PDB file of all heavy atoms in Angstrom:
ATOM      1  N   ASP A   2     -45.736 139.226 -28.593  1.00  0.00           N
ATOM      2  CA  ASP A   2     -45.313 138.578 -29.840  1.00  0.00           C
ATOM      3  C   ASP A   2     -45.018 137.107 -29.604  1.00  0.00           C
ATOM      4  O   ASP A   2     -44.206 136.748 -28.748  1.00  0.00           O
ATOM      5  CB  ASP A   2     -44.065 139.294 -30.349  1.00  0.00           C
ATOM      6  CG  ASP A   2     -43.724 138.860 -31.775  1.00  0.00           C
ATOM      7  OD1 ASP A   2     -44.269 137.844 -32.231  1.00  0.00           O
ATOM      8  OD2 ASP A   2     -42.841 139.505 -32.378  1.00  0.00           O
ATOM      9  N   THR A  95      15.055  56.677   8.470  1.00  0.00           N
ATOM     10  CA  THR A  95      13.894  56.821   9.360  1.00  0.00           C
ATOM     11  C   THR A  95      13.880  58.187  10.035  1.00  0.00           C
ATOM     12  O   THR A  95      12.837  58.847  10.118  1.00  0.00           O
ATOM     13  CB  THR A  95      13.907  55.716  10.419  1.00  0.00           C
ATOM     14  OG1 THR A  95      13.932  54.431   9.773  1.00  0.00           O
ATOM     15  CG2 THR A  95      12.689  55.800  11.316  1.00  0.00           C
ATOM     16  N   ILE A 123      13.035  56.897 -14.031  1.00  0.00           N
ATOM     17  CA  ILE A 123      12.622  57.923 -14.991  1.00  0.00           C
ATOM     18  C   ILE A 123      11.341  58.617 -14.547  1.00  0.00           C
ATOM     19  O   ILE A 123      11.058  59.755 -14.940  1.00  0.00           O
ATOM     20  CB  ILE A 123      12.441  57.291 -16.396  1.00  0.00           C
ATOM     21  CG1 ILE A 123      12.228  58.362 -17.465  1.00  0.00           C
ATOM     22  CG2 ILE A 123      11.297  56.304 -16.395  1.00  0.00           C
ATOM     23  CD1 ILE A 123      13.396  59.271 -17.654  1.00  0.00           C
ATOM     24  N   LEU A 240      14.551  72.177   1.729  1.00  0.00           N
ATOM     25  CA  LEU A 240      13.259  71.613   1.355  1.00  0.00           C
ATOM     26  C   LEU A 240      12.127  72.601   1.629  1.00  0.00           C
ATOM     27  O   LEU A 240      11.185  72.730   0.836  1.00  0.00           O
ATOM     28  CB  LEU A 240      13.023  70.312   2.125  1.00  0.00           C
ATOM     29  CG  LEU A 240      11.850  69.432   1.674  1.00  0.00           C
ATOM     30  CD1 LEU A 240      12.027  69.002   0.224  1.00  0.00           C
ATOM     31  CD2 LEU A 240      11.732  68.208   2.574  1.00  0.00           C
ATOM     32  N   ASP A 316      38.036  61.988 -15.933  1.00  0.00           N
ATOM     33  CA  ASP A 316      39.315  61.322 -16.122  1.00  0.00           C
ATOM     34  C   ASP A 316      40.157  61.948 -17.224  1.00  0.00           C
ATOM     35  O   ASP A 316      41.262  61.503 -17.496  1.00  0.00           O
ATOM     36  CB  ASP A 316      39.094  59.842 -16.468  1.00  0.00           C
ATOM     37  CG  ASP A 316      38.637  59.055 -15.261  1.00  0.00           C
ATOM     38  OD1 ASP A 316      38.935  59.503 -14.143  1.00  0.00           O
ATOM     39  OD2 ASP A 316      37.985  58.023 -15.440  1.00  0.00           O
ATOM     40  N   LEU A 360      44.703  52.817 -21.574  1.00  0.00           N
ATOM     41  CA  LEU A 360      43.585  52.104 -22.181  1.00  0.00           C
ATOM     42  C   LEU A 360      42.948  51.158 -21.173  1.00  0.00           C
ATOM     43  O   LEU A 360      41.714  51.059 -21.101  1.00  0.00           O
ATOM     44  CB  LEU A 360      44.073  51.313 -23.402  1.00  0.00           C
ATOM     45  CG  LEU A 360      43.045  50.413 -24.105  1.00  0.00           C
ATOM     46  CD1 LEU A 360      41.863  51.224 -24.589  1.00  0.00           C
ATOM     47  CD2 LEU A 360      43.688  49.658 -25.258  1.00  0.00           C
ATOM     48  N   GLU A 362      42.815  51.470 -17.941  1.00  0.00           N
ATOM     49  CA  GLU A 362      42.060  52.255 -16.971  1.00  0.00           C
ATOM     50  C   GLU A 362      40.725  52.710 -17.550  1.00  0.00           C
ATOM     51  O   GLU A 362      39.684  52.618 -16.897  1.00  0.00           O
ATOM     52  CB  GLU A 362      42.885  53.474 -16.540  1.00  0.00           C
ATOM     53  CG  GLU A 362      42.210  54.325 -15.487  1.00  0.00           C
ATOM     54  CD  GLU A 362      43.057  55.498 -15.057  1.00  0.00           C
ATOM     55  OE1 GLU A 362      44.218  55.606 -15.529  1.00  0.00           O
ATOM     56  OE2 GLU A 362      42.572  56.312 -14.256  1.00  0.00           O
ATOM     57  N   GLU A 443      44.217  29.265 -23.990  1.00  0.00           N
ATOM     58  CA  GLU A 443      43.668  28.607 -22.803  1.00  0.00           C
ATOM     59  C   GLU A 443      43.417  29.620 -21.689  1.00  0.00           C
ATOM     60  O   GLU A 443      42.380  29.603 -21.019  1.00  0.00           O
ATOM     61  CB  GLU A 443      44.627  27.517 -22.315  1.00  0.00           C
ATOM     62  CG  GLU A 443      44.742  26.312 -23.226  1.00  0.00           C
ATOM     63  CD  GLU A 443      45.706  26.515 -24.379  1.00  0.00           C
ATOM     64  OE1 GLU A 443      46.319  27.614 -24.448  1.00  0.00           O
ATOM     65  OE2 GLU A 443      45.872  25.604 -25.201  1.00  0.00           O
ATOM     66  N   GLU A 493      46.287  32.770 -32.817  1.00  0.00           N
ATOM     67  CA  GLU A 493      45.849  31.464 -32.345  1.00  0.00           C
ATOM     68  C   GLU A 493      44.327  31.348 -32.345  1.00  0.00           C
ATOM     69  O   GLU A 493      43.749  30.667 -31.497  1.00  0.00           O
ATOM     70  CB  GLU A 493      46.392  31.211 -30.935  1.00  0.00           C
ATOM     71  CG  GLU A 493      47.900  31.097 -30.862  1.00  0.00           C
ATOM     72  CD  GLU A 493      48.408  29.831 -31.548  1.00  0.00           C
ATOM     73  OE1 GLU A 493      47.597  28.916 -31.793  1.00  0.00           O
ATOM     74  OE2 GLU A 493      49.617  29.757 -31.839  1.00  0.00           O
ATOM     75  N   ALA A 514      36.218  41.617 -43.237  1.00  0.00           N
ATOM     76  CA  ALA A 514      36.526  41.333 -44.646  1.00  0.00           C
ATOM     77  C   ALA A 514      37.797  42.025 -45.122  1.00  0.00           C
ATOM     78  O   ALA A 514      37.850  42.567 -46.229  1.00  0.00           O
ATOM     79  CB  ALA A 514      35.340  41.712 -45.542  1.00  0.00           C
ATOM     80  N   PHE A 516      40.910  40.274 -44.177  1.00  0.00           N
ATOM     81  CA  PHE A 516      41.907  39.227 -43.973  1.00  0.00           C
ATOM     82  C   PHE A 516      41.465  37.942 -44.690  1.00  0.00           C
ATOM     83  O   PHE A 516      41.075  36.963 -44.053  1.00  0.00           O
ATOM     84  CB  PHE A 516      42.113  38.972 -42.478  1.00  0.00           C
ATOM     85  CG  PHE A 516      42.688  40.135 -41.737  1.00  0.00           C
ATOM     86  CD1 PHE A 516      41.857  41.073 -41.148  1.00  0.00           C
ATOM     87  CD2 PHE A 516      44.056  40.307 -41.656  1.00  0.00           C
ATOM     88  CE1 PHE A 516      42.386  42.158 -40.471  1.00  0.00           C
ATOM     89  CE2 PHE A 516      44.600  41.393 -40.977  1.00  0.00           C
ATOM     90  CZ  PHE A 516      43.763  42.329 -40.389  1.00  0.00           C
ATOM     91  N   SER A 540      32.389  53.929 -51.595  1.00  0.00           N
ATOM     92  CA  SER A 540      31.585  53.990 -50.373  1.00  0.00           C
ATOM     93  C   SER A 540      32.214  53.188 -49.241  1.00  0.00           C
ATOM     94  O   SER A 540      32.106  53.554 -48.063  1.00  0.00           O
ATOM     95  CB  SER A 540      30.161  53.499 -50.648  1.00  0.00           C
ATOM     96  OG  SER A 540      30.163  52.177 -51.145  1.00  0.00           O
ATOM     97  N   GLU A 610      28.016  61.707 -30.421  1.00  0.00           N
ATOM     98  CA  GLU A 610      28.947  62.512 -31.187  1.00  0.00           C
ATOM     99  C   GLU A 610      30.377  62.021 -31.004  1.00  0.00           C
ATOM    100  O   GLU A 610      30.756  61.538 -29.950  1.00  0.00           O
ATOM    101  CB  GLU A 610      28.863  63.976 -30.756  1.00  0.00           C
ATOM    102  CG  GLU A 610      27.525  64.621 -31.077  1.00  0.00           C
ATOM    103  CD  GLU A 610      27.498  66.070 -30.648  1.00  0.00           C
ATOM    104  OE1 GLU A 610      28.523  66.547 -30.123  1.00  0.00           O
ATOM    105  OE2 GLU A 610      26.469  66.724 -30.843  1.00  0.00           O
ATOM    106  N   SER A 611      31.147  62.150 -32.061  1.00  0.00           N
ATOM    107  CA  SER A 611      32.561  61.792 -32.011  1.00  0.00           C
ATOM    108  C   SER A 611      33.318  62.682 -32.971  1.00  0.00           C
ATOM    109  O   SER A 611      32.879  62.908 -34.108  1.00  0.00           O
ATOM    110  CB  SER A 611      32.760  60.320 -32.387  1.00  0.00           C
ATOM    111  OG  SER A 611      34.133  60.044 -32.595  1.00  0.00           O
ATOM    112  N   VAL A 621      20.439  57.697 -39.553  1.00  0.00           N
ATOM    113  CA  VAL A 621      19.797  56.490 -39.028  1.00  0.00           C
ATOM    114  C   VAL A 621      18.467  56.264 -39.756  1.00  0.00           C
ATOM    115  O   VAL A 621      17.564  57.099 -39.683  1.00  0.00           O
ATOM    116  CB  VAL A 621      19.545  56.611 -37.521  1.00  0.00           C
ATOM    117  CG1 VAL A 621      18.894  55.338 -36.982  1.00  0.00           C
ATOM    118  CG2 VAL A 621      20.849  56.893 -36.786  1.00  0.00           C
ATOM    119  N   LEU A 634      16.006  44.725 -52.347  1.00  0.00           N
ATOM    120  CA  LEU A 634      17.183  43.885 -52.548  1.00  0.00           C
ATOM    121  C   LEU A 634      16.784  42.456 -52.891  1.00  0.00           C
ATOM    122  O   LEU A 634      17.381  41.829 -53.787  1.00  0.00           O
ATOM    123  CB  LEU A 634      18.054  43.912 -51.287  1.00  0.00           C
ATOM    124  CG  LEU A 634      19.318  43.039 -51.313  1.00  0.00           C
ATOM    125  CD1 LEU A 634      20.241  43.455 -52.453  1.00  0.00           C
ATOM    126  CD2 LEU A 634      20.055  43.111 -49.977  1.00  0.00           C
ATOM    127  N   THR A 668      15.820  28.480 -40.087  1.00  0.00           N
ATOM    128  CA  THR A 668      16.977  29.359 -39.866  1.00  0.00           C
ATOM    129  C   THR A 668      17.612  29.139 -38.498  1.00  0.00           C
ATOM    130  O   THR A 668      18.731  29.600 -38.261  1.00  0.00           O
ATOM    131  CB  THR A 668      16.566  30.840 -39.977  1.00  0.00           C
ATOM    132  OG1 THR A 668      15.679  31.175 -38.890  1.00  0.00           O
ATOM    133  CG2 THR A 668      15.875  31.120 -41.302  1.00  0.00           C
TER     134      THR A 668
END
Side-chain angles (χ1 to χ4, degrees):
D2 191 345
T95 303
I123 189 64
L240 191 60
D316 287 336
L360 175 59
E362 182 179 356
E443 291 83 2
E493 294 292 344
F516 295 91
S540 58
E610 294 181 1
S611 168
V621 181
L634 178 60
T668 67

